[in-house]
């Protein structure tokens, strides 16, 4: 259904005028900037018997990111904190705010992948991971069952 152009994008916000906390803005924007919509977007490529993953983590530092392997799952987590303080001309603190955020994603990579198989590199806001493709499990050859008697 198309709405008439007299309605803005925030139609329900206009009808249900919830109190706004001026100056606070969206916490995601304070923590991650205007690139918050691109966080942890992941591309997975298969080539030459391995998987290559590129995970977007703009605004993070290498020390903010942790990659772990547990029971065949590769878990990527990122944590970020921000402290803001505002002082008057005499240096007296008049406002102080603290923000923190974390995010994580898990990917099943297979039980045969070991921690030493995973290679990680972080450059220009992109975490690059590579690991070997889990080998296909070979079923044992079918042997006829001998019937005695």
């Amino acid at each position: 259904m198309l709405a008439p152009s007299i309605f803005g994008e925030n139609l329900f916000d206009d009808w249900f005028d919830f109190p706004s906390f001026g100056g606070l803005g969206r916490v995601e924007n304070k923590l991650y900037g205007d690139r918050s919509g691109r966080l942890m977007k992941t591309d997975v490529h298969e080539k030459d018997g391995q998987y290559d993953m590129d995970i977007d983590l703009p605004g993070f530092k290498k020390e903010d990111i942790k990659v772990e392997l547990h029971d065949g799952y590769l878990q990527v987590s990122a944590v970020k904190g921000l402290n803001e303080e505002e002082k008057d001309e005499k240096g007296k603190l008049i406002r102080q705010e603290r923000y923190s955020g974390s995010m994580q994603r898990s990917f099943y990579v297979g039980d045969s992948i070991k921690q030493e198989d995973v290679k990680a590199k972080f450059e220009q806001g992109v975490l690059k991971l590579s690991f070997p493709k889990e080998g296909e499990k070979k079923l044992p050859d079918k042997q006829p069952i001998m019937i005695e008697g």
Side-chain angles (χ1 to χ4, degrees):
M1 176 176 110
L2 296 174
S5 62
I6 61 170
F7 297 121
E9 289 182 27
N10 298 324
L11 172 65
F12 292 108
D13 291 343
D14 292 340
W15 283 356
F16 304 105
D17 189 24
F18 292 110
S20 63
F21 300 97
L24 289 181
R26 294 188 59 191
V27 173
E28 298 91 15
N29 287 343
K30 291 216 181 253
L31 280 171
Y32 311 119
D34 56 354
R35 300 170 291 197
S36 63
R38 291 185 1 160
L39 292 174
M40 296 204 85
K41 287 190 177 178
T42 304
D43 297 328
V44 180
H45 304 278
E46 177 188 357
K47 74 175 185 187
D48 300 330
Q50 75 174 22
Y51 289 111
D52 294 328
M53 296 175 69
D54 294 336
I55 303 173
D56 287 348
L57 290 165
F60 283 90
K61 298 177 188 161
K62 180 180 168 182
E63 55 269 13
D64 298 335
I65 301 167
K66 184 164 69 169
V67 180
E68 296 178 311
L69 183 64
H70 293 289
D71 300 324
Y73 285 89
L74 189 66
Q75 183 173 345
V76 179
S77 56
V79 178
K80 190 169 185 180
L82 175 67
N83 291 325
E84 288 185 359
E85 56 181 51
E86 188 176 316
K87 296 182 179 185
D88 63 9
E89 59 275 353
K90 295 179 184 176
K92 184 177 177 183
L93 184 67
I94 59 173
R95 181 178 73 104
Q96 184 173 9
E97 296 182 19
R98 293 168 246 5
Y99 305 96
S100 65
S102 65
M103 60 189 71
Q104 69 179 19
R105 287 196 68 183
S106 294
F107 304 92
Y108 184 72
V109 295
D111 293 326
S112 67
I113 304 297
K114 306 292 181 227
Q115 188 152 342
E116 56 270 7
D117 296 333
V118 180
K119 307 294 181 227
K121 184 177 177 182
F122 186 68
E123 57 186 9
Q124 298 179 356
V126 178
L127 176 63
K128 296 175 179 286
L129 301 170
S130 62
F131 50 91
K133 186 176 175 181
E134 184 178 36
E136 294 181 20
K137 295 183 177 159
K138 186 177 179 184
L139 297 174
D141 292 335
K142 293 183 181 181
Q143 299 290 330
I145 297 175
M146 303 303 281
I147 301 174
E148 293 181 23

